[in-house]
Amino acid sequence: MKFGYFDDHKKEYIITNPKTPTRWINYIGTLDFGGFVDHTGGALICRGDPALNRITKYIPQLPASDFNGEGLYVRIKEKDQYRVLSPFYVPTLSALDRFETHVGLGYSKLIGETNGLRCEVTIFIPQGEEVELRDIRVTNIGEGPIEVDLIPLVEYTHPAALKQFTNADWIPQTMVSRIIEEPDGLKILKQYPFMLRDVRVNYFTSNHPVSSYESDRAVFLGANGYGSFQHPLGLLEPEFKNTQANRGDNMAALMHHLGELAPGETRRIITQLGQTEEIDRLPEVVSRFRDQAEVDQAFLSLSQFWEDYLSKMQVATPSKDMDHMLNVHNPRQVYITKNWSRYLSLYQLGLGDRGIGFRDSSQDVLGVMGFIPEEAVALVRNLLSVQKRDGSAMHQYNPLTMVGTTGEAEEDTPQYYSDDHLWVILSVAAYLKETGNLAFLDEEIPFYEKDKENNPLETGTVLEHMARGIAFTKQNVGAHGLPLLGFADWNDTVNLRAGAESVFTACLYGVALKELIELGRFLGKPDLVSTWEGYYREMKAVVNQQAWDGEWYRRYYDSDGTPIGSAENEHGKIFTNAQSWTVMAGYAGPQRGRVAMDAVKKYLDTENGVKLSTPGYDGFDPLKGGVSTYPPGAKENGGIFLHANPWVMIAETLLGDGDQAFAYYDKINPVTKNDKIDIYESEPYVYPQNILGDEHPQFGLARNSWLTGTASWVYTAATKHILGIQPGYEGLHIKPCIPSSWEGFQVKRDLRGAEYELLVRRNPALPENTTQVFVDGELAANGIVPYFGDAQTHRVEVEIN
Ligand code: GLC
């Protein structure tokens, strides 16, 4: 069943049925001020940390039919009574003649038609501003005149998001709403917890006269709170009661009488939900976006931002589905994951102190590197500043305080994750290759440890940080010579006893070393290069001697020497990452690599993507940890963990199989799920984190959309490995590994101050496996495209066979 379609021209996905199997969301604004809007107009809006400064009360666990955070009612006057409708279905669940939610770049536009009225609402946050705008247009599309009232509303939470749920005495006793009356009937409803009255307040206002308002939820719902959002009794009276809430559940509903609309007539009203410290100047603060022209301009600037952003790289391939993702939806998702980390989604509720994950953000920056390298490197600087002197890293940190935590690694478990500090080496290398800014390597960045005055005990250059990361892994190996697992590696949920070893971390170490060796060669540092080459050779030998299982690579050794991910195990016999990453690290030669990746295809591939492992653990096993808390087929326990799929694609390209790489790409492309939403359920315009595997009764069901490393890695796999557009130190390398049926493809990419128009096509006259590169018509001797940095467009023709 379909719930919507892609509109290429507008770069939108248009939802046409409000009853999607889960809520489908879109992000607006940034972590400074913003959140997500669901397809029926509910919204979770925060300013800064969602745990500490949350504005709307949005509870994802409530039924999808419930009001959540924000909404809009229209009221039609019929003789002596009112017909109360929600143009966006929730919460009155009114029958609609037409429903559309346009999931746009940085905005959502909702359209609802019912009873001869059309409501169109564009929801967005102007660039750099701290206010959510809802630009509402109501049109009479019926035959006769209609008398219409418009009632936008917000429900507030206490800013301390978790307290809202844990303390139902203190919270309601503190919540206060006050009205500010302005000339011409304009009103601002402000809201705050008492202690913040003179510090900062939330506000809700519009640019139309407000005849009455309500800020107490119990009064709005009526019958002492026994009314409902579906049938609010407060809307059956001509006017609200103008309650200025002194406690309790605070909300803001504004009554607008639009009067009689003649057929064809439209009214436009703009609401603002914001937060400000300029409490005494509220009328001035809100005046700007009461002006329609300012709102139009802000929307234009937002569109311009996205147009510029996306223009950095555009592709035209024989696959329309790939183009959809690579030109719009995947670049948008990497921007969102880079910005929001894992703070706030329908799945990550932003209630705790999780903060920024070292591992996740190190990977998120890879996806945005071609678009916003300087913003990416700003995040890399923060990450490096929570790396410890021994080279390991704090697992998470709060970006406001820069205080790090060890994640789930508790007292009696190893206190670090074995992989965190290695990922950031990949991020630094990607930045250097993208920008050529080698000065970054000499930048001094503190290590995490501080003295009593909170001054760092030591600082080191970026190069030194990376060298320490490598040294940490080199020194912390176990009985087989493989890196100690610590609390976990990339797979958070396999938590073995102290002394366990990780093949994955051995591979990530290898990939990081390869990056450093390449960098060291370019910098002309032979001593460093030979040290790192030595480390690399040593680990490669260990992995091949200790981890080859006969048909694939093993994934871990437990502390007692038991292999995990081996034919000798009953459950968890084979793990995908041990195969893809031994190829990515270059540890597996072409033959073993092929055998290992054939095992992935044979044992782990499904019609919905590649599973992380098989068979799933069937019952809780404290010696395996979190992985066995899931039923077989779910998440890390034999589920299709999407984040690991692009690594399979990359490994296939490294083995030269473009058909297989693309088949894996296409299989998990959300665009291709648009016809299978009844099984898949999640948004078809972003990657989810996981899909239930074939051991699970609901095989094919996707969850945890938006904030996942999948976004960044699939983008990397598709653009750098399948299309083969790889910025290098000396120039741009083009190494496509495409399906045999493709004749070629085109790419436009901005890089280091020049624009490249790349045209790749097959030339059967060339000897097999060769590439010829012509830059502005001239054959490039070494096959590398130079960096011109001349603000000009250069035409690059690449012939492959
Ligand atoms: C989640 C975590 C990520 C981890 C992955 C696998 O996506 O955010 O850090 O690597 O799960 O366990």
Side-chain angles (χ1 to χ4, degrees):
M1 197 154 126
K2 282 195 193 191
F3 288 82
Y5 62 94
F6 289 87
D7 182 325
D8 289 352
H9 183 64
K10 295 203 189 104
K11 301 190 169 67
E12 293 174 340
Y13 182 85
I14 301 176
I15 302 166
T16 51
N17 179 347
K19 287 181 251 177
T20 54
T22 65
R23 292 189 184 95
W24 287 1
I25 66 165
N26 191 13
Y27 282 80
I28 56 171
T30 65
L31 196 47
D32 292 336
F33 186 96
F36 64 77
V37 185
D38 72 30
H39 69 289
T40 60
L44 204 175
I45 303 295
C46 309
R47 184 174 181 220
D49 191 329
L52 303 176
N53 193 359
R54 186 175 291 230
I55 298 175
T56 59
K57 191 192 280 178
Y58 190 103
I59 306 171
Q61 293 93 337
L62 290 179
S65 52
D66 281 15
F67 172 82
N68 236 334
E70 283 186 72
L72 178 70
Y73 292 95
V74 292
R75 209 164 70 155
I76 299 177
K77 185 125 190 249
E78 290 172 341
K79 295 205 184 85
D80 293 333
Q81 56 174 25
Y82 294 108
R83 184 187 288 266
V84 176
L85 304 158
S86 332
F88 311 125
Y89 192 58
V90 172
T92 65
L93 314 183
S94 322
L96 300 174
D97 302 327
R98 180 175 170 206
F99 170 89
E100 281 180 12
T101 297
H102 296 230
V103 179
L105 295 163
Y107 68 92
S108 281
K109 184 163 86 182
L110 283 72
I111 298 172
E113 289 178 9
T114 179
N115 287 268
L117 267 189
R118 173 190 159 97
C119 288
E120 183 182 313
V121 181
T122 305
I123 305 169
F124 72 105
I125 291 171
Q127 294 285 91
E129 302 294 333
E130 308 208 316
V131 59
E132 183 216 65
L133 303 182
R134 294 196 170 207
D135 186 353
I136 308 169
R137 286 159 220 246
V138 185
T139 306
N140 180 350
I141 53 170
E143 308 283 297
I146 318 183
E147 196 177 327
V148 185
D149 297 331
L150 190 73
I151 306 98
L153 74 163
V154 176
E155 187 179 3
Y156 290 108
T157 173
H158 190 280
L162 193 56
K163 285 256 169 58
Q164 174 79 47
F165 299 113
T166 58
N167 191 327
D169 180 29
W170 182 67
I171 293 286
Q173 298 291 9
T174 65
M175 300 284 274
V176 179
S177 291
R178 288 291 178 265
I179 195 77
I180 300 175
E181 306 268 0
E182 292 179 278
D184 304 324
L186 295 175
K187 290 184 177 47
I188 306 171
L189 249 178
K190 59 177 177 170
Q191 194 282 330
Y192 46 86
F194 181 69
M195 67 188 282
L196 296 179
R197 181 189 62 191
D198 307 319
V199 180
R200 58 168 195 257
V201 299
N202 299 321
Y203 61 86
F204 190 57
T205 192
S206 69
N207 62 348
H208 186 278
V210 169
S211 59
S212 58
Y213 58 87
E214 188 50 70
S215 64
D216 185 324
R217 189 181 74 181
V219 180
F220 175 77
L221 299 180
N224 289 333
Y226 285 85
S228 65
F229 279 108
Q230 189 176 3
H231 301 292
L233 302 179
L235 283 177
L236 301 184
E237 303 293 327
E239 293 297 346
F240 286 134
K241 296 207 160 55
N242 293 337
T243 319
Q244 300 187 50
N246 294 304
R247 64 173 310 288
D249 293 297
N250 282 204
M251 59 174 289
L254 303 177
M255 174 66 73
H256 301 95
H257 299 307
L258 304 190
E260 201 172 86
L261 268 68
E265 197 179 342
T266 297
R267 296 284 160 78
R268 183 176 176 194
I269 291 181
I270 294 151
T271 64
Q272 303 181 45
L273 170 65
Q275 188 182 86
T276 183
E277 280 80 22
E278 298 186 72
I279 303 164
D280 299 333
R281 292 186 56 247
L282 258 172
E284 286 102 301
V285 169
V286 305
S287 67
R288 175 167 168 209
F289 291 119
R290 278 183 173 157
D291 179 351
Q292 295 185 359
E294 287 279 354
V295 173
D296 292 341
Q297 188 49 48
F299 190 74
L300 210 65
S301 307
L302 179 70
S303 310
Q304 196 57 49
F305 164 80
W306 280 102
E307 210 170 291
D308 290 349
Y309 173 87
L310 294 177
S311 73
K312 301 281 187 300
M313 177 147 171
Q314 288 285 301
V315 309
T317 74
S319 164
K320 209 166 172 275
D321 291 343
M322 184 183 226
D323 291 357
H324 268 307
M325 283 315 281
L326 293 186
N327 290 336
V328 182
H329 304 283
N330 201 169
R332 188 242 320 261
Q333 191 177 357
V334 295
Y335 183 84
I336 298 296
T337 52
K338 187 270 167 192
N339 197 320
W340 290 91
S341 181
R342 304 297 174 273
Y343 257 118
L344 194 67
S345 71
L346 275 179
Y347 307 90
Q348 281 113 346
L349 305 184
L351 296 169
D353 54 4
R354 194 185 185 287
I356 299 269
F358 196 99
R359 169 203 297 142
D360 291 338
S361 287
S362 297
Q363 296 170 74
D364 291 344
V365 297
L366 300 175
V368 293
M369 203 53 87
F371 300 97
I372 44 168
E374 293 311 320
E375 284 180 46
V377 82
L379 180 50
V380 172
R381 278 190 193 98
N382 281 347
L383 293 167
L384 289 171
S385 75
V386 296
Q387 186 180 10
K388 298 203 290 183
R389 288 187 293 169
D390 68 5
S392 71
M394 301 307 288
H395 188 58
Q396 290 162 350
Y397 69 92
N398 180 321
L400 301 174
T401 60
M402 293 309 290
V403 171
T405 66
T406 50
E408 309 241 319
E410 295 142 6
E411 283 302 302
D412 55 344
T413 62
Q415 288 282 293
Y416 67 94
Y417 290 68
S418 58
D419 61 324
D420 284 331
H421 53 282
L422 296 169
W423 289 107
V424 77
I425 297 175
L426 275 52
S427 330
V428 172
Y431 172 73
L432 298 175
K433 288 175 172 174
E434 181 71 33
T435 62
N437 176 18
L438 296 173
F440 180 55
L441 286 169
D442 300 325
E443 242 178 80
E444 293 274 346
I445 294 184
F447 289 99
Y448 183 67
E449 291 90 341
K450 315 273 190 305
D451 65 16
K452 285 197 187 107
E453 273 81 52
N454 210 26
N455 294 315
L457 290 179
E458 196 185 346
T459 66
T461 63
V462 170
L463 189 61
E464 176 63 18
H465 276 263
M466 296 197 289
R468 296 240 187 137
I470 291 294
F472 182 86
T473 303
K474 159 95 181 132
Q475 284 151 19
N476 285 279
V477 293
H480 297 82
L482 294 160
L484 289 167
L485 176 65
F487 178 72
D489 58 26
W490 171 86
N491 188 331
D492 268 332
T493 65
V494 175
N495 315 122
L496 307 173
R497 290 162 288 187
E501 294 160 273
S502 163
V503 172
F504 176 86
T505 301
C507 294
L508 177 57
Y509 173 72
V511 170
L513 280 168
K514 282 206 301 178
E515 285 291 358
L516 287 175
I517 292 163
E518 191 185 345
L519 173 64
R521 287 208 184 105
F522 180 68
L523 295 175
K525 293 191 185 283
D527 292 352
L528 279 178
V529 170
S530 78
T531 305
W532 287 329
E533 280 177 340
Y535 293 180
Y536 177 83
R537 272 197 304 274
E538 197 183 340
M539 192 57 81
K540 178 175 179 174
V542 169
V543 167
N544 279 300
Q545 279 153 23
Q546 305 289 351
W548 182 247
D549 195 60
E551 204 188 338
W552 58 78
Y553 285 92
R554 296 172 173 179
R555 178 66 172 83
Y556 308 88
Y557 279 102
D558 205 346
S559 54
D560 61 1
T562 314
I564 293 175
S566 159
E568 70 184 58
N569 299 125
E570 194 192 344
H571 298 280
K573 280 179 187 294
I574 171 170
F575 284 72
T576 300
N577 288 345
Q579 323 317 319
S580 50
W581 276 84
T582 40
V583 174
M584 285 165 67
Y587 291 166
Q591 270 152 22
R592 258 194 191 177
R594 192 60 270 158
V595 173
M597 292 308 295
D598 284 348
V600 168
K601 187 157 169 51
K602 185 165 162 198
Y603 301 110
L604 296 160
D605 188 22
T606 78
E607 65 187 83
N608 290 306
V610 178
K611 296 184 281 185
L612 198 56
S613 62
T614 203
Y617 297 100
D618 193 8
F620 179 62
D621 176 355
L623 294 182
K624 300 286 179 310
V627 64
S628 61
T629 61
Y630 296 108
K635 297 266 289 187
E636 284 97 333
N637 191 21
I640 301 166
F641 209 91
L642 274 247
H643 190 159
N645 276 245
W647 298 330
V648 173
M649 300 167 202
I650 294 173
E652 286 294 349
T653 64
L654 293 171
L655 294 169
D657 194 337
D659 284 318
Q660 189 56 61
F662 184 78
Y664 285 134
Y665 176 86
D666 199 44
K667 192 176 283 196
I668 64 158
N669 187 340
V671 174
T672 66
K673 313 292 182 187
N674 203 33
D675 297 340
K676 311 182 195 165
I677 295 297
D678 25 359
I679 296 166
Y680 184 76
E681 298 201 349
S682 288
E683 298 96 324
Y685 45 86
V686 284
Y687 289 97
Q689 182 213 59
N690 66 83
I691 297 177
L692 290 170
D694 54 7
E695 285 182 83
H696 195 284
Q698 284 173 276
F699 176 44
L701 177 125
R703 278 295 182 274
N704 204 344
S705 52
W706 284 96
L707 305 183
T708 159
T710 315
S712 177
W713 276 105
V714 183
Y715 190 76
T716 303
T719 57
K720 290 199 170 159
H721 297 275
I722 296 178
L723 302 184
I725 315 296
Q726 302 179 2
Y729 290 110
E730 337 68 34
L732 176 63
H733 301 255
I734 321 243
K735 298 180 181 166
C737 183
I738 54 176
S740 45
S741 61
W742 285 19
E743 282 306 313
F745 61 90
Q746 292 178 43
V747 173
K748 187 234 139 212
R749 196 194 198 284
D750 289 355
L751 186 59
R752 299 201 194 185
E755 183 182 276
Y756 296 90
E757 275 178 13
L758 306 158
L759 179 69
V760 178
R761 60 170 174 246
R762 288 190 190 280
N763 179 356
L766 287 179
E768 224 172 288
N769 291 324
T770 54
T771 302
Q772 268 189 351
V773 178
F774 297 87
V775 181
D776 296 323
E778 303 277 324
L779 184 67
N782 52 7
I784 299 176
V785 183
Y787 292 129
F788 292 100
D790 57 0
Q792 301 294 310
T793 301
H794 298 275
R795 196 172 161 76
V796 180
E797 280 157 295
V798 183
E799 296 184 348
I800 56 171
N801 193 23

